[in-house]
Amino acid sequence: MKKIVVFTGAGISAESGIKTFRDADGLWEEYKISEVATPEAWYKNPAMVQDFYNKRRKQVMEALPNKAHYALAELEKHFDVQIITQNIDDLHERAGSKNVLHLHGEIMKARSSTYEKLIYPVKNGIISMGDKCEKGFQLRPHVVWFGEEVPNMEIAYKMVSKADIFIIIGTSLSVYPAAGLIYYTPKKSKVYLIDPQGKNIDTIENLEIIKEKAGTGVPALVEHLINSKKTTSRL
Ligand code: OAD
């Protein structure tokens, strides 16, 4: 069975009502990264960082998966699909996708600020200052901040290097190391990029750019891939 690796960014959740980061009305227009999304911010003003992520979590809990998330879950019924997402929301999982690797963490989880392996679900949607892990240390959001390592990169590189088809959806490809994943695609693989801004990536040969929103572009591509599989298997 063909292996399809899907790499998603904030754009896939935009039509679910979750703001992207770098579009005109994006989150980084409203907040300074250095004040809410770095270890230094956490040391300086943990309550403010906590509050920022509590607001993000509330938005995620109010959001619903959209047609793009559901189409990818459908794709899994026909191909060996691995999703690698930069998103901290859980909309892929809620749409029914089983194989989801989060590069930048998961907003619906909390972890110990000292023992990073101690991870817990966030029960009522809020992490408060004073909420502690079982060893007595403050809980923080289970997300990757700027300046922190991305622990899942190695496993993601391996996944991408085995892709027959690589689909990139709704990302500005501006944050590394995540954006560097695209360079691990085998030369023979077909690569699709679905993004209204869809800029060309010179180094990728078999690239098809679909300048559409995820909500229309992803279901159409999924339908095309499923139909092509049916046609090929009939030959
Ligand atoms: P960006 O905000 O940088 O880029 C969002 C992309 O989504 C842009 O290329 C838009 O054109 C596209 N887009 C907007 N609406 C769309 C739609 N309806 N359908 C499809 N695409 C759409 O977001 P990311 O690339 O995901 O990291 O950002 C990467 C990382 O930067 C995030 O994971 C986060 C952020 O800072 C951390 O916080 C560590």
Side-chain angles (χ1 to χ4, degrees):
M1 200 189 291
K2 276 197 173 161
K3 175 141 196 92
I4 302 185
V5 178
V6 185
F7 179 45
T8 64
I12 195 167
S13 298
E15 288 157 89
S16 294
I18 299 176
K19 278 187 176 183
T20 63
F21 296 95
R22 295 173 185 80
D23 286 307
D25 63 342
L27 266 187
W28 297 149
E29 292 292 319
E30 200 180 330
Y31 295 91
K32 275 190 179 167
I33 290 178
S34 60
E35 284 175 4
V36 293
T38 62
E40 292 75 19
W42 174 251
Y43 295 130
K44 204 169 125 200
N45 196 343
M48 188 162 122
V49 174
Q50 207 76 273
D51 181 57
F52 171 75
Y53 285 99
N54 282 337
K55 285 187 179 134
R56 308 278 75 73
R57 194 174 301 105
K58 184 167 183 289
Q59 282 176 358
V60 167
M61 288 168 80
E62 285 165 2
L64 294 171
N66 64 50
K67 286 179 181 167
H69 298 103
Y70 284 116
L72 292 177
E74 177 64 26
L75 190 66
E76 218 173 81
K77 296 181 189 155
H78 302 266
F79 293 92
D80 174 5
V81 176
Q82 175 67 52
I83 294 175
I84 302 174
T85 186
Q86 298 167 91
N87 298 346
I88 57 177
D89 68 52
D90 59 353
L91 297 183
H92 284 302
E93 288 91 340
R94 277 199 264 148
S97 286
K98 299 278 185 298
N99 306 319
V100 185
L101 181 75
H102 286 266
L103 292 182
H104 293 160
E106 294 170 76
I107 189 76
M108 296 311 300
K109 293 180 181 169
R111 78 161 182 260
S112 168
S113 50
T114 304
Y115 292 91
E116 55 189 45
K117 295 254 153 54
L118 295 179
I119 298 167
Y120 310 87
V122 181
K123 287 200 190 99
N124 58 4
I126 287 189
I127 311 176
S128 301
M129 294 312 294
D131 288 352
K132 306 232 166 95
C133 74
E134 66 217 51
K135 291 194 186 276
F137 294 96
Q138 176 64 45
L139 291 179
R140 56 166 275 184
H142 179 47
V143 300
V144 173
W145 288 323
F146 285 88
E148 291 188 316
E149 267 191 44
V150 182
N152 283 336
M153 274 325 290
E154 284 305 319
I155 176 164
Y157 292 140
K158 282 195 189 122
M159 287 167 172
V160 174
S161 69
K162 292 190 188 118
D164 298 301
I165 299 172
F166 186 52
I167 306 174
I168 307 164
I169 306 165
T171 170
S172 61
L173 295 171
S174 54
V175 174
Y176 285 79
L181 261 190
I182 59 172
Y183 303 111
Y184 287 74
T185 323
K187 268 211 166 330
K188 59 174 182 11
S189 313
K190 175 79 184 173
V191 180
Y192 296 93
L193 166 61
I194 302 176
D195 191 307
Q197 291 194 39
K199 286 175 232 136
N200 192 30
I201 309 167
D202 290 337
T203 44
I204 294 185
E205 283 170 26
N206 300 319
L207 174 68
E208 184 172 333
I209 301 174
I210 301 167
K211 286 199 186 188
E212 270 188 58
K213 288 187 171 180
T216 48
V218 178
L221 176 61
V222 164
E223 198 185 335
H224 164 74
L225 292 171
I226 294 172
N227 285 340
S228 327
K229 185 184 171 194
K230 284 181 191 154
T231 317
T232 323
S233 59
R234 258 191 254 119
L235 295 176

